Amino acid sequence: MKVVVIGTGYVGLTTGVALAYLGNQVTCLDIDPGKITKLKQNQVPIYEPGLPELLEISRANLRFTTSYDEAGIDSSDVVFIAVGTPSLPDGNADLTYVKTAADALGPRLDHHFTVVVNKSTVPIGSGNWVGTLLREAYARSKGSQPDGNYAVASNPEFLRQGSALFDTLYPDRVVIGSEDTRAIDTLTNLYRPILNQDFPPPAFLPRPDGLSAVSVVTCDLASAELIKYAANSFLALKISYMNEIAHLTEKVGADITQVARGIGLDSRIGPRFLQAGIGWGGSCFGKDTAALVAISKEYGMSMPIVQAARDVNYHQRTWVVDTLLHELKILKGKTVALLGFAFKPNTDDLRDAPSLDIARQLIQRGARVRATDPVALGNARQLYPDLGVIYCDQPLDALRKADAVVLVTEWSEYTRLNWGEIKLTLNNPLILDGRNFLDRHELERLGYRYIGVGR
Ligand SMILES: NC(=O)c1ccc[n+]([C@@H]2O[C@H](COP(=O)([O-])OP(=O)(O)OC[C@H]3O[C@@H](n4cnc5c(N)ncnc54)[C@H](O)[C@@H]3O)[C@@H](O)[C@H]2O)c1
């Protein structure tokens, strides 16, 4: 099929490259000329494992442009809108980018049947709204009503940064919402190789054992839109629930990792998203839980469970600072090393990263903060040059003479550091393991004071 993807961020680029790999003719469009220039030169502007390799393999089916005129929208079968939908101060999703994209698409929809797909996470009702925007933009530009040869669908995205390609090629399910059966049929056909799992897997990304088909959920627009918010909020609250239990395990002398194992083996609960720690961050959970709470307000409701998941989560960041204060007594003039700055491993993304809040709070209290990360420091230096954090490319530079070490992001390389030698360079061998990730017994054997979460 002929596919256009609007927005070449983590979602848009992954979707575009994966669909090109599956044999579709894909044009990726972004208003950021820097990103498009890089992509034209075969450089991937974000850090996402496997993406450069798959882009290389799929190059023949990919085009990149900044121009709506040159994207071939009028002859495309499917146009994905995959632009950002960040939080507004009141928690609602900011739909400015979606509106700009829809306004630009409307006049370019022609006689060829095109499905316009909201892949961005958008509030309930946005499918209808985008339909209206397309119609109005067409009418403004052409002076007549469109002939109706397009339909709007919602196809929410569930990929995880860091394993985005795996999640796209081998998803748990595909959700397609529309009031138009042609739209559902077109998208079902587009996803057919994924649903049937009959494409040859890339050599570096083998199909998981036993995966022979992927379920598709076809539904109305509003249900598809709500599935995305409900799924993310549920995952967020699973983690927050464990963090709440972790504070109790600390009080009673139990170990949250044992509790998590004990309840995770219950097939009704499952083992994933039960890791206590300094909580979630990133581009989705914070903004999507905030949006769900804001949406419920519109309908005169409150969502106390989702709100509580948020409260517990953001409290974890303060808990880190309170714990350091308790241990060090005085933070002024002390040096804290943050191991990891990205909101999770295998990404360079800093959106709503716990590291930022922790660093801000520590600096406010007079501490010096040094931070290291294998891939996120480029973004950190560019986006947060005035945060007051000293960014260190080498972990050892961040750790030298530190009074406390906080493991913020569970990058596997941090387990391979020579903690025996590092201890000799520290001012004070205190580790706050914010992800319960390091080898506690080994660190204690080496003479560290080790503090985990809920242990
Ligand atoms: N990142 C994730 O893990 C993830 C997972 C699931 C869903 N989502 C959702 O997908 C959407 C995109 O997220 P992302 O992380 O890829 O965002 P992103 O910020 O990485 O990328 C968005 C891109 O859209 C471009 N853009 C903005 N306005 C545009 C316009 N009018 N025309 C063309 N391009 C435009 C931006 O330049 C940017 O490159 C969001 O709604 C997000 O909630 C994200």
Side-chain angles (χ1 to χ4, degrees), residues 340-374:
F341 213 61
F343 85 90
K344 69 172 187 178
N346 297 317
T347 186
D348 57 354
D349 199 348
L350 293 174
R351 288 177 283 186
D352 196 19
S355 58
L356 295 169
D357 274 346
I358 293 168
R360 273 189 204 108
Q361 291 183 37
L362 287 170
I363 290 166
Q364 249 169 26
R365 287 166 182 260
R368 289 172 71 77
V369 177
R370 288 200 296 251
T372 184
D373 190 283

PDB file of all heavy atoms in Angstrom, residues 340-374:
ATOM      1  N   GLY A 340      22.611   7.046  35.291  1.00  0.00           N
ATOM      2  CA  GLY A 340      21.468   6.989  34.388  1.00  0.00           C
ATOM      3  C   GLY A 340      20.683   8.273  34.457  1.00  0.00           C
ATOM      4  O   GLY A 340      20.452   8.825  35.541  1.00  0.00           O
ATOM      5  N   PHE A 341      20.297   8.768  33.282  1.00  0.00           N
ATOM      6  CA  PHE A 341      19.547  10.026  33.228  1.00  0.00           C
ATOM      7  C   PHE A 341      18.271   9.850  32.409  1.00  0.00           C
ATOM      8  O   PHE A 341      17.285  10.529  32.630  1.00  0.00           O
ATOM      9  CB  PHE A 341      20.443  11.127  32.629  1.00  0.00           C
ATOM     10  CG  PHE A 341      20.175  12.479  33.204  1.00  0.00           C
ATOM     11  CD1 PHE A 341      20.355  12.728  34.559  1.00  0.00           C
ATOM     12  CD2 PHE A 341      19.740  13.521  32.397  1.00  0.00           C
ATOM     13  CE1 PHE A 341      20.104  13.990  35.106  1.00  0.00           C
ATOM     14  CE2 PHE A 341      19.483  14.788  32.932  1.00  0.00           C
ATOM     15  CZ  PHE A 341      19.662  15.016  34.284  1.00  0.00           C
ATOM     16  N   ALA A 342      18.291   8.908  31.440  1.00  0.00           N
ATOM     17  CA  ALA A 342      17.103   8.653  30.613  1.00  0.00           C
ATOM     18  C   ALA A 342      16.001   8.066  31.493  1.00  0.00           C
ATOM     19  O   ALA A 342      16.275   7.504  32.555  1.00  0.00           O
ATOM     20  CB  ALA A 342      17.444   7.680  29.496  1.00  0.00           C
ATOM     21  N   PHE A 343      14.755   8.167  31.042  1.00  0.00           N
ATOM     22  CA  PHE A 343      13.663   7.713  31.908  1.00  0.00           C
ATOM     23  C   PHE A 343      13.633   6.200  32.038  1.00  0.00           C
ATOM     24  O   PHE A 343      13.063   5.665  32.981  1.00  0.00           O
ATOM     25  CB  PHE A 343      12.321   8.277  31.423  1.00  0.00           C
ATOM     26  CG  PHE A 343      11.627   7.485  30.350  1.00  0.00           C
ATOM     27  CD1 PHE A 343      10.731   6.475  30.669  1.00  0.00           C
ATOM     28  CD2 PHE A 343      11.866   7.760  29.011  1.00  0.00           C
ATOM     29  CE1 PHE A 343      10.090   5.748  29.675  1.00  0.00           C
ATOM     30  CE2 PHE A 343      11.235   7.040  28.021  1.00  0.00           C
ATOM     31  CZ  PHE A 343      10.342   6.033  28.351  1.00  0.00           C
ATOM     32  N   LYS A 344      14.276   5.525  31.087  1.00  0.00           N
ATOM     33  CA  LYS A 344      14.456   4.075  31.217  1.00  0.00           C
ATOM     34  C   LYS A 344      15.614   3.653  30.331  1.00  0.00           C
ATOM     35  O   LYS A 344      16.071   4.451  29.506  1.00  0.00           O
ATOM     36  CB  LYS A 344      13.173   3.332  30.862  1.00  0.00           C
ATOM     37  CG  LYS A 344      12.773   3.379  29.403  1.00  0.00           C
ATOM     38  CD  LYS A 344      11.599   2.431  29.206  1.00  0.00           C
ATOM     39  CE  LYS A 344      11.256   2.293  27.759  1.00  0.00           C
ATOM     40  NZ  LYS A 344      10.175   1.369  27.528  1.00  0.00           N
ATOM     41  N   PRO A 345      16.113   2.422  30.477  1.00  0.00           N
ATOM     42  CA  PRO A 345      17.263   2.037  29.666  1.00  0.00           C
ATOM     43  C   PRO A 345      16.895   1.875  28.192  1.00  0.00           C
ATOM     44  O   PRO A 345      15.727   1.724  27.852  1.00  0.00           O
ATOM     45  CB  PRO A 345      17.702   0.694  30.262  1.00  0.00           C
ATOM     46  CG  PRO A 345      16.616   0.243  31.138  1.00  0.00           C
ATOM     47  CD  PRO A 345      15.714   1.391  31.433  1.00  0.00           C
ATOM     48  N   ASN A 346      17.907   1.894  27.343  1.00  0.00           N
ATOM     49  CA  ASN A 346      17.769   1.694  25.896  1.00  0.00           C
ATOM     50  C   ASN A 346      17.018   2.808  25.197  1.00  0.00           C
ATOM     51  O   ASN A 346      16.434   2.601  24.137  1.00  0.00           O
ATOM     52  CB  ASN A 346      17.122   0.337  25.568  1.00  0.00           C
ATOM     53  CG  ASN A 346      17.997  -0.794  26.033  1.00  0.00           C
ATOM     54  OD1 ASN A 346      19.212  -0.741  25.853  1.00  0.00           O
ATOM     55  ND2 ASN A 346      17.406  -1.788  26.653  1.00  0.00           N
ATOM     56  N   THR A 347      16.976   3.968  25.798  1.00  0.00           N
ATOM     57  CA  THR A 347      16.417   5.132  25.104  1.00  0.00           C
ATOM     58  C   THR A 347      17.203   6.364  25.517  1.00  0.00           C
ATOM     59  O   THR A 347      17.852   6.363  26.573  1.00  0.00           O
ATOM     60  CB  THR A 347      14.913   5.311  25.414  1.00  0.00           C
ATOM     61  OG1 THR A 347      14.405   6.383  24.599  1.00  0.00           O
ATOM     62  CG2 THR A 347      14.647   5.662  26.865  1.00  0.00           C
ATOM     63  N   ASP A 348      17.132   7.388  24.656  1.00  0.00           N
ATOM     64  CA  ASP A 348      17.783   8.660  24.994  1.00  0.00           C
ATOM     65  C   ASP A 348      16.740   9.686  25.424  1.00  0.00           C
ATOM     66  O   ASP A 348      17.020  10.867  25.505  1.00  0.00           O
ATOM     67  CB  ASP A 348      18.570   9.197  23.780  1.00  0.00           C
ATOM     68  CG  ASP A 348      17.687   9.366  22.553  1.00  0.00           C
ATOM     69  OD1 ASP A 348      16.502   8.973  22.590  1.00  0.00           O
ATOM     70  OD2 ASP A 348      18.186   9.904  21.539  1.00  0.00           O
ATOM     71  N   ASP A 349      15.520   9.225  25.670  1.00  0.00           N
ATOM     72  CA  ASP A 349      14.400  10.121  25.927  1.00  0.00           C
ATOM     73  C   ASP A 349      14.425  10.618  27.382  1.00  0.00           C
ATOM     74  O   ASP A 349      14.579   9.815  28.313  1.00  0.00           O
ATOM     75  CB  ASP A 349      13.088   9.373  25.654  1.00  0.00           C
ATOM     76  CG  ASP A 349      11.912  10.317  25.456  1.00  0.00           C
ATOM     77  OD1 ASP A 349      12.052  11.516  25.739  1.00  0.00           O
ATOM     78  OD2 ASP A 349      10.853   9.837  25.016  1.00  0.00           O
ATOM     79  N   LEU A 350      14.230  11.919  27.547  1.00  0.00           N
ATOM     80  CA  LEU A 350      14.247  12.509  28.894  1.00  0.00           C
ATOM     81  C   LEU A 350      12.886  13.049  29.307  1.00  0.00           C
ATOM     82  O   LEU A 350      12.770  13.707  30.347  1.00  0.00           O
ATOM     83  CB  LEU A 350      15.263  13.660  28.937  1.00  0.00           C
ATOM     84  CG  LEU A 350      16.722  13.245  28.792  1.00  0.00           C
ATOM     85  CD1 LEU A 350      17.615  14.477  28.701  1.00  0.00           C
ATOM     86  CD2 LEU A 350      17.140  12.386  29.984  1.00  0.00           C
ATOM     87  N   ARG A 351      11.856  12.790  28.487  1.00  0.00           N
ATOM     88  CA  ARG A 351      10.558  13.365  28.834  1.00  0.00           C
ATOM     89  C   ARG A 351      10.074  12.794  30.170  1.00  0.00           C
ATOM     90  O   ARG A 351      10.036  11.586  30.362  1.00  0.00           O
ATOM     91  CB  ARG A 351       9.548  13.091  27.708  1.00  0.00           C
ATOM     92  CG  ARG A 351       9.839  13.939  26.481  1.00  0.00           C
ATOM     93  CD  ARG A 351       8.896  13.638  25.346  1.00  0.00           C
ATOM     94  NE  ARG A 351       9.216  12.406  24.658  1.00  0.00           N
ATOM     95  CZ  ARG A 351       8.603  11.988  23.553  1.00  0.00           C
ATOM     96  NH1 ARG A 351       7.627  12.690  23.026  1.00  0.00           N
ATOM     97  NH2 ARG A 351       8.963  10.854  22.973  1.00  0.00           N
ATOM     98  N   ASP A 352       9.739  13.672  31.095  1.00  0.00           N
ATOM     99  CA  ASP A 352       9.249  13.298  32.430  1.00  0.00           C
ATOM    100  C   ASP A 352      10.176  12.292  33.124  1.00  0.00           C
ATOM    101  O   ASP A 352       9.724  11.414  33.871  1.00  0.00           O
ATOM    102  CB  ASP A 352       7.816  12.734  32.325  1.00  0.00           C
ATOM    103  CG  ASP A 352       7.105  12.693  33.676  1.00  0.00           C
ATOM    104  OD1 ASP A 352       7.546  13.407  34.599  1.00  0.00           O
ATOM    105  OD2 ASP A 352       6.117  11.943  33.808  1.00  0.00           O
ATOM    106  N   ALA A 353      11.478  12.419  32.880  1.00  0.00           N
ATOM    107  CA  ALA A 353      12.428  11.487  33.496  1.00  0.00           C
ATOM    108  C   ALA A 353      12.543  11.796  34.992  1.00  0.00           C
ATOM    109  O   ALA A 353      12.689  12.965  35.370  1.00  0.00           O
ATOM    110  CB  ALA A 353      13.792  11.608  32.830  1.00  0.00           C
ATOM    111  N   PRO A 354      12.497  10.769  35.861  1.00  0.00           N
ATOM    112  CA  PRO A 354      12.659  11.011  37.295  1.00  0.00           C
ATOM    113  C   PRO A 354      13.968  11.735  37.608  1.00  0.00           C
ATOM    114  O   PRO A 354      14.042  12.534  38.543  1.00  0.00           O
ATOM    115  CB  PRO A 354      12.669   9.600  37.901  1.00  0.00           C
ATOM    116  CG  PRO A 354      11.928   8.753  36.925  1.00  0.00           C
ATOM    117  CD  PRO A 354      12.197   9.353  35.572  1.00  0.00           C
ATOM    118  N   SER A 355      15.012  11.470  36.797  1.00  0.00           N
ATOM    119  CA  SER A 355      16.320  12.102  37.044  1.00  0.00           C
ATOM    120  C   SER A 355      16.198  13.619  37.123  1.00  0.00           C
ATOM    121  O   SER A 355      16.884  14.268  37.917  1.00  0.00           O
ATOM    122  CB  SER A 355      17.288  11.738  35.914  1.00  0.00           C
ATOM    123  OG  SER A 355      16.755  12.145  34.670  1.00  0.00           O
ATOM    124  N   LEU A 356      15.338  14.194  36.291  1.00  0.00           N
ATOM    125  CA  LEU A 356      15.243  15.662  36.227  1.00  0.00           C
ATOM    126  C   LEU A 356      14.706  16.216  37.548  1.00  0.00           C
ATOM    127  O   LEU A 356      15.252  17.169  38.107  1.00  0.00           O
ATOM    128  CB  LEU A 356      14.332  16.084  35.074  1.00  0.00           C
ATOM    129  CG  LEU A 356      14.846  15.730  33.671  1.00  0.00           C
ATOM    130  CD1 LEU A 356      13.763  15.953  32.630  1.00  0.00           C
ATOM    131  CD2 LEU A 356      16.081  16.557  33.330  1.00  0.00           C
ATOM    132  N   ASP A 357      13.631  15.601  38.046  1.00  0.00           N
ATOM    133  CA  ASP A 357      13.048  16.079  39.309  1.00  0.00           C
ATOM    134  C   ASP A 357      14.011  15.853  40.469  1.00  0.00           C
ATOM    135  O   ASP A 357      14.157  16.702  41.350  1.00  0.00           O
ATOM    136  CB  ASP A 357      11.752  15.314  39.609  1.00  0.00           C
ATOM    137  CG  ASP A 357      10.563  15.970  38.926  1.00  0.00           C
ATOM    138  OD1 ASP A 357      10.702  17.114  38.469  1.00  0.00           O
ATOM    139  OD2 ASP A 357       9.498  15.317  38.852  1.00  0.00           O
ATOM    140  N   ILE A 358      14.645  14.688  40.466  1.00  0.00           N
ATOM    141  CA  ILE A 358      15.568  14.375  41.568  1.00  0.00           C
ATOM    142  C   ILE A 358      16.718  15.378  41.558  1.00  0.00           C
ATOM    143  O   ILE A 358      17.089  15.943  42.596  1.00  0.00           O
ATOM    144  CB  ILE A 358      16.077  12.920  41.441  1.00  0.00           C
ATOM    145  CG1 ILE A 358      14.916  11.948  41.665  1.00  0.00           C
ATOM    146  CG2 ILE A 358      17.228  12.646  42.404  1.00  0.00           C
ATOM    147  CD1 ILE A 358      15.212  10.507  41.292  1.00  0.00           C
ATOM    148  N   ALA A 359      17.268  15.636  40.358  1.00  0.00           N
ATOM    149  CA  ALA A 359      18.386  16.586  40.257  1.00  0.00           C
ATOM    150  C   ALA A 359      17.946  17.979  40.728  1.00  0.00           C
ATOM    151  O   ALA A 359      18.644  18.628  41.510  1.00  0.00           O
ATOM    152  CB  ALA A 359      18.898  16.650  38.819  1.00  0.00           C
ATOM    153  N   ARG A 360      16.778  18.410  40.258  1.00  0.00           N
ATOM    154  CA  ARG A 360      16.289  19.748  40.642  1.00  0.00           C
ATOM    155  C   ARG A 360      16.166  19.867  42.156  1.00  0.00           C
ATOM    156  O   ARG A 360      16.600  20.842  42.757  1.00  0.00           O
ATOM    157  CB  ARG A 360      14.911  19.998  40.020  1.00  0.00           C
ATOM    158  CG  ARG A 360      14.989  20.572  38.650  1.00  0.00           C
ATOM    159  CD  ARG A 360      13.611  21.011  38.146  1.00  0.00           C
ATOM    160  NE  ARG A 360      13.655  21.008  36.698  1.00  0.00           N
ATOM    161  CZ  ARG A 360      13.045  20.117  35.924  1.00  0.00           C
ATOM    162  NH1 ARG A 360      12.296  19.170  36.436  1.00  0.00           N
ATOM    163  NH2 ARG A 360      13.166  20.179  34.619  1.00  0.00           N
ATOM    164  N   GLN A 361      15.547  18.855  42.771  1.00  0.00           N
ATOM    165  CA  GLN A 361      15.330  18.923  44.223  1.00  0.00           C
ATOM    166  C   GLN A 361      16.652  18.914  44.984  1.00  0.00           C
ATOM    167  O   GLN A 361      16.806  19.614  45.985  1.00  0.00           O
ATOM    168  CB  GLN A 361      14.463  17.743  44.676  1.00  0.00           C
ATOM    169  CG  GLN A 361      13.018  17.832  44.191  1.00  0.00           C
ATOM    170  CD  GLN A 361      12.168  16.675  44.724  1.00  0.00           C
ATOM    171  OE1 GLN A 361      12.350  16.246  45.855  1.00  0.00           O
ATOM    172  NE2 GLN A 361      11.256  16.174  43.919  1.00  0.00           N
ATOM    173  N   LEU A 362      17.591  18.104  44.504  1.00  0.00           N
ATOM    174  CA  LEU A 362      18.891  18.035  45.189  1.00  0.00           C
ATOM    175  C   LEU A 362      19.631  19.374  45.069  1.00  0.00           C
ATOM    176  O   LEU A 362      20.211  19.868  46.047  1.00  0.00           O
ATOM    177  CB  LEU A 362      19.743  16.911  44.600  1.00  0.00           C
ATOM    178  CG  LEU A 362      19.312  15.487  44.958  1.00  0.00           C
ATOM    179  CD1 LEU A 362      20.082  14.466  44.112  1.00  0.00           C
ATOM    180  CD2 LEU A 362      19.544  15.217  46.451  1.00  0.00           C
ATOM    181  N   ILE A 363      19.586  19.933  43.863  1.00  0.00           N
ATOM    182  CA  ILE A 363      20.296  21.202  43.633  1.00  0.00           C
ATOM    183  C   ILE A 363      19.662  22.312  44.480  1.00  0.00           C
ATOM    184  O   ILE A 363      20.364  23.128  45.080  1.00  0.00           O
ATOM    185  CB  ILE A 363      20.321  21.536  42.124  1.00  0.00           C
ATOM    186  CG1 ILE A 363      21.248  20.552  41.406  1.00  0.00           C
ATOM    187  CG2 ILE A 363      20.763  22.976  41.875  1.00  0.00           C
ATOM    188  CD1 ILE A 363      21.125  20.533  39.902  1.00  0.00           C
ATOM    189  N   GLN A 364      18.331  22.290  44.564  1.00  0.00           N
ATOM    190  CA  GLN A 364      17.630  23.279  45.399  1.00  0.00           C
ATOM    191  C   GLN A 364      18.101  23.208  46.843  1.00  0.00           C
ATOM    192  O   GLN A 364      18.139  24.200  47.554  1.00  0.00           O
ATOM    193  CB  GLN A 364      16.138  22.973  45.382  1.00  0.00           C
ATOM    194  CG  GLN A 364      15.294  23.997  44.649  1.00  0.00           C
ATOM    195  CD  GLN A 364      13.891  23.485  44.453  1.00  0.00           C
ATOM    196  OE1 GLN A 364      13.408  22.641  45.218  1.00  0.00           O
ATOM    197  NE2 GLN A 364      13.241  23.980  43.423  1.00  0.00           N
ATOM    198  N   ARG A 365      18.460  21.999  47.270  1.00  0.00           N
ATOM    199  CA  ARG A 365      18.901  21.838  48.652  1.00  0.00           C
ATOM    200  C   ARG A 365      20.409  22.007  48.805  1.00  0.00           C
ATOM    201  O   ARG A 365      20.980  21.638  49.824  1.00  0.00           O
ATOM    202  CB  ARG A 365      18.493  20.456  49.168  1.00  0.00           C
ATOM    203  CG  ARG A 365      16.997  20.366  49.425  1.00  0.00           C
ATOM    204  CD  ARG A 365      16.595  18.936  49.603  1.00  0.00           C
ATOM    205  NE  ARG A 365      15.162  18.814  49.801  1.00  0.00           N
ATOM    206  CZ  ARG A 365      14.587  18.648  50.988  1.00  0.00           C
ATOM    207  NH1 ARG A 365      15.313  18.592  52.075  1.00  0.00           N
ATOM    208  NH2 ARG A 365      13.294  18.528  51.072  1.00  0.00           N
ATOM    209  N   GLY A 366      21.044  22.470  47.745  1.00  0.00           N
ATOM    210  CA  GLY A 366      22.451  22.830  47.864  1.00  0.00           C
ATOM    211  C   GLY A 366      23.435  21.729  47.508  1.00  0.00           C
ATOM    212  O   GLY A 366      24.643  21.905  47.669  1.00  0.00           O
ATOM    213  N   ALA A 367      22.925  20.592  47.026  1.00  0.00           N
ATOM    214  CA  ALA A 367      23.857  19.513  46.650  1.00  0.00           C
ATOM    215  C   ALA A 367      24.437  19.784  45.266  1.00  0.00           C
ATOM    216  O   ALA A 367      23.852  20.504  44.461  1.00  0.00           O
ATOM    217  CB  ALA A 367      23.128  18.178  46.646  1.00  0.00           C
ATOM    218  N   ARG A 368      25.599  19.195  45.021  1.00  0.00           N
ATOM    219  CA  ARG A 368      26.157  19.197  43.663  1.00  0.00           C
ATOM    220  C   ARG A 368      25.728  17.879  43.039  1.00  0.00           C
ATOM    221  O   ARG A 368      25.812  16.827  43.684  1.00  0.00           O
ATOM    222  CB  ARG A 368      27.680  19.261  43.707  1.00  0.00           C
ATOM    223  CG  ARG A 368      28.205  20.619  44.148  1.00  0.00           C
ATOM    224  CD  ARG A 368      29.699  20.557  44.363  1.00  0.00           C
ATOM    225  NE  ARG A 368      30.430  20.426  43.092  1.00  0.00           N
ATOM    226  CZ  ARG A 368      30.637  21.442  42.259  1.00  0.00           C
ATOM    227  NH1 ARG A 368      30.168  22.640  42.553  1.00  0.00           N
ATOM    228  NH2 ARG A 368      31.310  21.274  41.147  1.00  0.00           N
ATOM    229  N   VAL A 369      25.293  17.947  41.795  1.00  0.00           N
ATOM    230  CA  VAL A 369      24.802  16.725  41.147  1.00  0.00           C
ATOM    231  C   VAL A 369      25.622  16.468  39.894  1.00  0.00           C
ATOM    232  O   VAL A 369      25.762  17.340  39.036  1.00  0.00           O
ATOM    233  CB  VAL A 369      23.300  16.869  40.778  1.00  0.00           C
ATOM    234  CG1 VAL A 369      22.819  15.626  40.028  1.00  0.00           C
ATOM    235  CG2 VAL A 369      22.463  17.080  42.037  1.00  0.00           C
ATOM    236  N   ARG A 370      26.170  15.252  39.826  1.00  0.00           N
ATOM    237  CA  ARG A 370      26.847  14.832  38.594  1.00  0.00           C
ATOM    238  C   ARG A 370      26.062  13.660  38.027  1.00  0.00           C
ATOM    239  O   ARG A 370      25.623  12.781  38.779  1.00  0.00           O
ATOM    240  CB  ARG A 370      28.288  14.425  38.894  1.00  0.00           C
ATOM    241  CG  ARG A 370      29.160  15.637  39.226  1.00  0.00           C
ATOM    242  CD  ARG A 370      30.629  15.307  39.031  1.00  0.00           C
ATOM    243  NE  ARG A 370      31.054  14.267  39.949  1.00  0.00           N
ATOM    244  CZ  ARG A 370      31.852  14.452  40.998  1.00  0.00           C
ATOM    245  NH1 ARG A 370      32.311  15.656  41.265  1.00  0.00           N
ATOM    246  NH2 ARG A 370      32.192  13.450  41.750  1.00  0.00           N
ATOM    247  N   ALA A 371      25.869  13.663  36.718  1.00  0.00           N
ATOM    248  CA  ALA A 371      25.049  12.608  36.116  1.00  0.00           C
ATOM    249  C   ALA A 371      25.748  12.010  34.914  1.00  0.00           C
ATOM    250  O   ALA A 371      26.471  12.690  34.187  1.00  0.00           O
ATOM    251  CB  ALA A 371      23.703  13.178  35.684  1.00  0.00           C
ATOM    252  N   THR A 372      25.481  10.728  34.721  1.00  0.00           N
ATOM    253  CA  THR A 372      26.041  10.035  33.566  1.00  0.00           C
ATOM    254  C   THR A 372      24.946   9.194  32.924  1.00  0.00           C
ATOM    255  O   THR A 372      23.954   8.846  33.590  1.00  0.00           O
ATOM    256  CB  THR A 372      27.247   9.166  33.982  1.00  0.00           C
ATOM    257  OG1 THR A 372      27.830   8.584  32.820  1.00  0.00           O
ATOM    258  CG2 THR A 372      26.843   8.058  34.947  1.00  0.00           C
ATOM    259  N   ASP A 373      25.103   8.902  31.653  1.00  0.00           N
ATOM    260  CA  ASP A 373      24.142   8.050  30.950  1.00  0.00           C
ATOM    261  C   ASP A 373      24.803   7.614  29.646  1.00  0.00           C
ATOM    262  O   ASP A 373      25.478   8.421  29.004  1.00  0.00           O
ATOM    263  CB  ASP A 373      22.846   8.822  30.642  1.00  0.00           C
ATOM    264  CG  ASP A 373      21.738   7.909  30.136  1.00  0.00           C
ATOM    265  OD1 ASP A 373      21.778   7.509  28.950  1.00  0.00           O
ATOM    266  OD2 ASP A 373      20.844   7.575  30.935  1.00  0.00           O
ATOM    267  N   PRO A 374      24.598   6.362  29.231  1.00  0.00           N
ATOM    268  CA  PRO A 374      25.270   5.909  28.003  1.00  0.00           C
ATOM    269  C   PRO A 374      24.796   6.630  26.742  1.00  0.00           C
ATOM    270  O   PRO A 374      25.571   6.776  25.803  1.00  0.00           O
ATOM    271  CB  PRO A 374      24.917   4.420  27.920  1.00  0.00           C
ATOM    272  CG  PRO A 374      24.452   4.033  29.276  1.00  0.00           C
ATOM    273  CD  PRO A 374      23.912   5.267  29.929  1.00  0.00           C
TER     274      PRO A 374
END
